[in-house]
Amino acid sequence: MQKEIDQAISVLQQGGLILYPTDTVWGIGCDATNESAVKKIYDLKQREDSKALICLVANDAMLERTIEEVPDLAYDIMDLSTKPTTIVYDNPKGIAKNLIAEDNTLAVRVASDKFCRYLINKFKKPIVSTSSNISGRPTPKSFGEIDKVILKGVDYVVNLQPEEKNAVPSAIIKLSSDGTVKVIRE
């Protein structure tokens, strides 16, 4: 696993794209602070950059460095969630501008997958995590379902085949600074 982490970090540091197993589905990732790398993902997915992408962090400390003010309720939601849960926060900071939604929000998930946590911890920055499909097409439920265009379009494919444990996208909850909670995807 260490060799895979080192190779993925090398690609991320150079502004490249990786295809990697997450705590949900296989994801396309890049340095979440690198605007040109984020643009490569939008181009590869053939997706408008007005449709926000998810960002993964390794732990609560990295979350707090990425979001201006993390509401206390966010920690309760993460602790009580029975499946991976992405939370949309107000006022992100230190992130590529084209990753931030028009309403100044950012979707962030604290990774629960061991490989992802190690990778992000060693990289020391958040990484993008978006499903490995062309926009508008179904999300692949296994590595074998990933479109060849995606496989050829990334700079590195992490050579780890996780057990197909979850293979469903995360829940998404929008948590506004004013205390409003909205479920976007269950």
Side-chain angles (χ1 to χ4, degrees):
M1 182 161 75
Q2 190 58 51
K3 180 177 161 268
E4 293 302 316
I5 287 172
D6 292 344
Q7 186 62 42
I9 286 173
S10 174
V11 170
L12 292 170
Q13 288 171 334
Q14 296 167 34
L17 305 185
I18 62 170
L19 183 67
Y20 66 110
T22 73
D23 43 1
T24 56
V25 297
W26 275 83
I28 303 168
C30 73
D31 176 350
T33 67
N34 182 329
E35 214 166 313
S36 63
V38 172
K39 184 181 181 327
K40 288 180 193 175
I41 288 183
Y42 282 117
D43 292 346
L44 178 59
K45 286 184 64 87
Q46 300 167 25
R47 183 173 177 165
E48 296 172 38
D49 65 8
S50 61
K51 292 187 89 179
L53 302 173
I54 291 173
C55 185
L56 289 182
V57 295
N59 50 44
D60 292 350
M62 189 178 284
L63 172 64
E64 290 162 6
R65 288 192 302 270
T66 307
I67 301 299
E68 200 71 45
E69 187 178 334
V70 179
D72 290 338
L73 181 57
Y75 299 106
D76 294 337
I77 291 170
M78 288 185 276
D79 288 345
L80 297 171
S81 294
T82 56
K83 70 181 223 174
T85 301
T86 301
I87 300 176
V88 180
Y89 297 95
D90 290 335
N91 306 317
K93 58 184 181 181
I95 295 295
K97 288 181 180 67
N98 55 346
L99 198 53
I100 299 170
E102 289 177 11
D103 62 353
N104 196 34
T105 60
L106 179 68
V108 183
R109 183 167 74 250
V110 177
S112 59
D113 176 80
K114 187 167 96 170
F115 171 78
C116 287
R117 280 200 324 266
Y118 285 158
L119 172 66
I120 300 163
N121 247 333
K122 192 162 182 192
F123 186 55
K124 296 183 173 46
K125 292 190 263 184
I127 62 174
V128 169
S129 177
T130 183
S131 56
S132 54
N133 60 306
I134 303 293
S135 192
R137 295 192 189 154
T139 299
K141 299 211 182 309
S142 67
F143 183 82
E145 293 180 14
I146 299 171
D147 192 302
K148 288 182 181 14
V149 171
I150 299 291
L151 292 170
K152 289 179 182 168
V154 298
D155 300 293
Y156 185 67
V157 177
V158 172
N159 189 20
L160 293 177
Q161 299 288 329
E163 338 64 75
E164 300 298 332
K165 53 188 180 304
N166 201 359
V168 294
S170 67
I172 301 178
I173 296 171
K174 185 171 185 178
L175 188 56
S176 300
S177 297
D178 66 5
T180 307
V181 178
K182 179 180 177 189
V183 176
I184 296 172
R185 179 171 72 199
E186 288 186 45

